Amino acid sequence: MENIYKNKIHLEPPTGLLNDPNGLCFFNDTYYLFHQWNRFKCDHSYKEWGLFTSTDLLNWKHQGSAILPDTPKDSHGVYSGSAITADQRLRIFYTGNTRNKLGLRKSYQNIAESTDGHTYIKKSSFETPLGLTENNRDPFVFKYKDLWFMIVGSQTTEYNGVVTLYTSSNLDKWSYQGIFFQSSELLQMCECPNLINFESIQILLACAQRKDRVLDTVISSTTGYFVGKISKDKFIATTKFLPLDYGFDFYAPQVLKAPDGRYLLWGWMSNMSAAEEKACPTINFGYLHCLTIPREIAFEKGKLIQRPLREILNASTLLIQNTDKIFNFNQTNKALLLQIDFNDSISDFTVNFATGAATLHHQKGKLILQRHNWSSNEIESRYVSIDKVEHLKIFIDLSAVEIFINDSSKVLSMRYFPNHPIKTHTFFCKDTHVVTLFEL
Ligand code: FRU
């Protein structure tokens, strides 16, 4: 059976299940992108860190396993975390998940390090501080002024989501400073906090989970950010929790500060339920999930901007430019970029993906994305309100679509699984606009 879902520009695991991007860093002239990985099965029963590397952000090589759950302090999973390169060493900060005989969770924040980027030596660990539950994970380390900060996604014993803080002057010895940020918008649990420092302001990214207190199970989860400022050992938000992505499939983003100063963000391109994961057609080919394409993050005119990685745009090849009211194009085994530049009198339009497997409609100031759900068989929608659509950049991979709107402050992500080897996509509109198709 031919795999018609294998993506070209979205990173996928060679086998098994991939989730969060982890430990993003630049070490020895190479980009390191670790990830949560069950290399054995397409489920969440086992977690280690796998690794992709690249020297140009375009061509990635999967290097296999990097860190295994092989000590008493990470026996039930090498969970998410981050990396820092300093003093010719790559330092990893991750959560070791453990369970006792009764199945009760205990988490450790663990530190490992490598001098060659191949062998990781586990060094030290610390336990969950008082006042928090063992849902305490995903350390993210960054430098702020002259100090190292480690923020952790936590849950108080009152069952509220918070971000907690450790600080260090040398990356080895850490001291707990208490709660860095709390908000009712972090619901019952915070996962994967990240911080972007734009000097005059800071952005705190977080995933918030609604949880059942008795069963300790997840009811729903969302990803967003707060704009604000660090003041001593606290983050003071000046906005509410704003969405990072308006589509279906986006979670656990992580940022990398590239050597040229750009902040690059990858997300796990999934927010699938257990039923959707089970029914996902890529499982027949032995793997599940992908990452988003990298996004360049900026803060301009008071807004967070996410632009598609410029290396991807620069490497694209123009296929055709068109101003017809109906534009049909076929996709076989290539990723495409559909760029639409609207003239001033924008009217309603539709992009039909793979003969109706998914659609994007513009109607009454809203962009509505709909797809046929492969598990429930129902049509489901997401939408974003938009004053005026000026341009769209739509990255159409073989089972992943990412839509960047206007100056890219708003993005929608979607997995979909059309069952045609040749997919026909259509753009139609009552007026004429400039539509350009690129191969990626
Ligand atoms: C987010 C997450 C993290 C955790 C990891 C386990 O998707 O739940 O909080 O560290 O996945 O795979």
Side-chain angles (χ1 to χ4, degrees):
M1 200 175 23
E2 189 198 349
N3 183 357
I4 55 174
Y5 310 110
K6 187 129 202 66
N7 286 311
K8 297 287 171 191
I9 60 164
H10 289 83
L11 291 177
E12 294 177 319
T15 59
L17 176 145
L18 160 152
N19 57 303
D20 316 354
N22 290 154
L24 302 178
C25 62
F26 187 74
F27 182 63
N28 288 348
D29 297 325
T30 303
Y31 291 95
Y32 279 66
L33 192 163
F34 298 89
H35 62 91
Q36 287 288 282
W37 194 23
N38 182 354
R39 74 187 132 108
F40 302 109
K41 283 199 210 160
C42 293
D43 66 23
H44 294 268
S45 57
Y46 167 94
K47 291 298 167 76
E48 63 176 55
W49 278 27
L51 171 64
F52 291 98
T53 57
S54 170
T55 51
D56 60 4
L57 294 168
L58 285 174
N59 299 291
W60 292 89
K61 188 167 181 313
H62 198 267
Q63 305 285 1
S65 303
I67 307 181
L68 300 177
D70 55 4
T71 73
K73 291 187 175 162
D74 56 20
S75 54
H76 292 67
V78 177
Y79 273 14
S80 285
S82 58
I84 287 291
T85 49
D87 319 323
Q88 277 95 52
R89 279 181 286 173
L90 198 170
R91 309 202 199 208
I92 303 275
F93 306 88
Y94 72 94
T95 300
N97 184 50
T98 70
R99 299 245 181 213
N100 70 9
K101 288 199 181 95
L102 299 173
L104 290 178
R105 188 197 300 276
K106 186 162 173 55
S107 299
Y108 296 89
Q109 310 315 319
N110 293 336
I111 304 181
E113 82 180 35
S114 176
T115 48
D116 61 4
H118 294 291
T119 311
Y120 298 86
I121 313 289
K122 295 180 184 175
K123 292 276 192 184
S124 56
S125 313
F126 32 95
E127 297 187 12
T128 302
L130 285 178
L132 304 176
T133 74
E134 292 298 330
N135 281 321
N136 187 45
R137 53 180 173 261
D138 312 334
F140 180 79
V141 175
F142 60 97
K143 195 162 201 178
Y144 187 70
K145 303 213 162 134
D146 290 330
L147 217 52
W148 292 101
F149 277 44
M150 177 194 290
I151 51 175
V152 179
S154 308
Q155 181 182 57
T156 64
T157 43
E158 290 82 42
Y159 225 69
N160 294 317
V162 292
V163 179
T164 51
L165 175 70
Y166 293 79
T167 53
S168 168
S169 55
N170 57 13
L171 291 167
D172 292 324
K173 262 186 99 198
W174 291 88
S175 52
Y176 184 59
Q177 306 294 340
I179 291 178
F180 179 60
F181 180 63
Q182 69 191 108
S183 159
S184 58
E185 292 182 288
L186 291 178
L187 305 175
Q188 283 80 51
M189 165 67 192
C190 171
E191 292 188 320
C192 303
N194 266 228
L195 192 119
I196 306 179
N197 185 4
F198 286 117
E199 304 307 331
S200 58
I201 57 112
Q202 286 81 47
I203 308 276
L204 178 66
L205 311 181
C207 297
Q209 289 190 334
R210 198 169 290 289
K211 290 191 86 164
D212 181 301
R213 186 165 188 164
V214 178
L215 301 173
D216 198 32
T217 47
V218 180
I219 300 167
S220 64
S221 45
T222 48
T223 305
Y225 65 95
F226 299 90
V227 180
K229 267 186 189 294
I230 296 177
S231 170
K232 290 200 188 106
D233 51 5
K234 299 270 177 276
F235 178 80
I236 317 289
T238 51
T239 64
K240 54 189 184 62
F241 194 43
L242 302 165
L244 256 178
D245 191 289
Y246 290 80
F248 296 97
D249 294 291
F250 187 85
Y251 199 66
Q254 186 165 132
V255 285
L256 159 74
K257 188 162 189 193
D260 60 9
R262 278 182 294 173
Y263 278 104
L264 306 179
L265 175 147
W266 283 258
W268 174 33
M269 200 165 170
S270 170
N271 208 348
M272 289 188 199
S273 65
E276 287 166 344
E277 288 189 327
K278 265 203 167 131
C280 184
T282 66
I283 285 183
N284 300 323
F285 301 97
Y287 70 96
L288 183 59
H289 300 314
C290 66
L291 299 180
T292 63
I293 61 168
R295 301 178 183 177
E296 296 184 10
I297 307 293
F299 194 74
E300 293 169 8
K301 297 186 192 139
K303 269 201 304 192
L304 184 110
I305 304 289
Q306 309 180 61
R307 296 193 174 96
L309 184 80
R310 69 188 69 160
E311 283 84 347
I312 295 183
L313 299 176
N314 293 342
S316 65
T317 315
L318 177 89
L319 293 178
I320 187 168
Q321 193 160 65
N322 194 293
T323 48
D324 294 345
K325 289 182 183 169
I326 299 185
F327 174 52
N328 271 309
F329 56 100
N330 284 340
Q331 178 180 28
T332 40
N333 203 15
K334 300 269 189 279
L336 300 174
L337 163 61
L338 177 71
Q339 181 172 311
I340 312 170
D341 294 292
F342 294 95
N343 64 34
D344 272 354
S345 60
I346 172 158
S347 55
D348 293 348
F349 65 83
T350 300
V351 182
N352 203 326
F353 299 98
T355 332
T359 51
L360 178 74
H361 291 293
H362 178 254
Q363 244 172 28
K364 297 188 188 124
K366 274 187 185 165
L367 269 177
I368 305 158
L369 184 63
Q370 294 192 308
R371 73 175 173 191
H372 177 249
N373 187 291
W374 59 94
S375 160
S376 66
N377 264 331
E378 283 168 9
I379 303 288
E380 52 187 356
S381 318
R382 297 283 185 276
Y383 76 87
V384 52
S385 298
I386 205 94
D387 289 343
K388 185 162 184 251
V389 186
E390 290 164 353
H391 333 271
L392 291 178
K393 278 195 175 65
I394 308 180
F395 293 82
I396 312 174
D397 210 335
L398 295 172
S399 58
V401 173
E402 287 182 72
I403 303 167
F404 291 76
I405 306 169
N406 294 351
D407 59 5
S408 302
S409 55
K410 293 186 172 155
V411 187
L412 297 125
S413 304
M414 168 180 77
R415 296 300 308 274
Y416 79 142
F417 302 96
N419 54 11
H420 330 281
I422 302 178
K423 302 171 184 62
T424 302
H425 309 293
T426 311
F427 166 76
F428 49 98
C429 186
K430 282 191 263 130
D431 313 303
T432 56
H433 302 284
V434 181
V435 181
T436 318
L437 189 67
F438 300 87
E439 183 180 309
L440 298 170

